[in-house]
Amino acid sequence: IPNMGTPSNIEERERKVLHMLSSTQQFIDILEAKGTKYTVDEPTSNGKDVLTVSYGGENMSTIRCRFFFDTDCQSVAIRVFDIVKIPESKLEAMYPVVNAVNNKFRFAKFCIDTKDSTIQAEMDAAFRANDVGEICRELLSRGVNICDEAYPDLMKALWT
């Protein structure tokens, strides 16, 4: 018999599933059907469900995509935080590089988070109730590929 965890762990996992938004559950169903590992994170303070899916890339060792599902079940914000940490001395020089990367790729935008001097990627999507899982899975794939492909350009700019 497999170890399913302590009763409190099982109850906590079941409680999260019972309160999950329908859009989040549709994405989970697709991930599980494809055998993709994910983590259900704590909801945000305003009730958004949060899922994390991580992949290793050819250029980036870990690409951690976080999905924030809106409570109306009609949109999602996808974020890849902390792609690159920018030293203070390179901050101004990185703005044109981020603009160039944004001109190169569709579906994702890169921006500098000035609070912690990091570059992050952002994707947003609106959907109807019947196509959430497939849309999120497609955006996951595109987002991972875009971040992995953009990473060398961002790193090159840091070291020149």
Side-chain angles (χ1 to χ4, degrees):
I1 299 175
N3 182 358
M4 298 297 288
T6 63
S8 61
N9 289 345
I10 293 169
E11 291 169 10
E12 182 178 335
R13 189 169 38 244
E14 288 174 353
R15 189 168 47 251
K16 282 183 181 180
V17 170
L18 287 175
H19 292 95
M20 192 145 309
L21 300 168
S22 63
S23 54
T24 310
Q25 187 59 56
Q26 287 182 51
F27 184 42
I28 287 173
D29 292 346
I30 291 288
L31 293 173
E32 289 180 350
K34 303 277 186 190
T36 304
K37 293 181 182 180
Y38 63 90
T39 303
V40 177
D41 302 315
E42 289 299 316
T44 64
S45 60
N46 56 358
K48 293 181 181 186
D49 282 346
V50 183
L51 254 65
T52 301
V53 183
S54 297
Y55 279 96
E58 291 181 26
N59 301 305
M60 285 181 71
S61 59
T62 303
I63 304 164
R64 185 173 299 111
C65 299
R66 301 198 67 207
F67 290 76
F68 297 87
F69 290 89
D70 288 337
T71 56
D72 66 2
C73 299
Q74 294 184 2
S75 60
V76 65
I78 306 164
R79 302 292 184 261
V80 180
F81 297 111
D82 303 325
I83 295 172
V84 173
K85 176 72 174 158
I86 307 167
E88 184 71 31
S89 63
K90 296 279 190 168
L91 192 57
E92 287 302 316
M94 290 303 291
Y95 285 104
V97 175
V98 169
N99 284 341
V101 170
N102 281 331
N103 286 329
K104 186 176 179 180
F105 297 102
R106 294 177 56 201
F107 300 107
K109 71 176 178 185
F110 291 83
C111 56
I112 296 174
D113 183 341
T114 56
K115 291 186 294 282
D116 63 1
S117 298
T118 60
I119 296 175
Q120 65 188 43
E122 300 181 351
M123 302 171 76
D124 296 287
F127 37 68
R128 298 287 180 246
N130 62 340
D131 56 3
V132 174
E134 289 297 334
I135 288 172
C136 289
R137 179 69 177 102
E138 178 67 22
L139 289 173
L140 171 64
S141 177
R142 289 177 188 255
V144 166
N145 290 333
I146 289 168
C147 288
D148 195 50
E149 192 175 331
Y151 187 74
D153 294 338
L154 298 169
M155 291 305 293
K156 181 180 176 186
L158 278 182
W159 302 115
T160 56

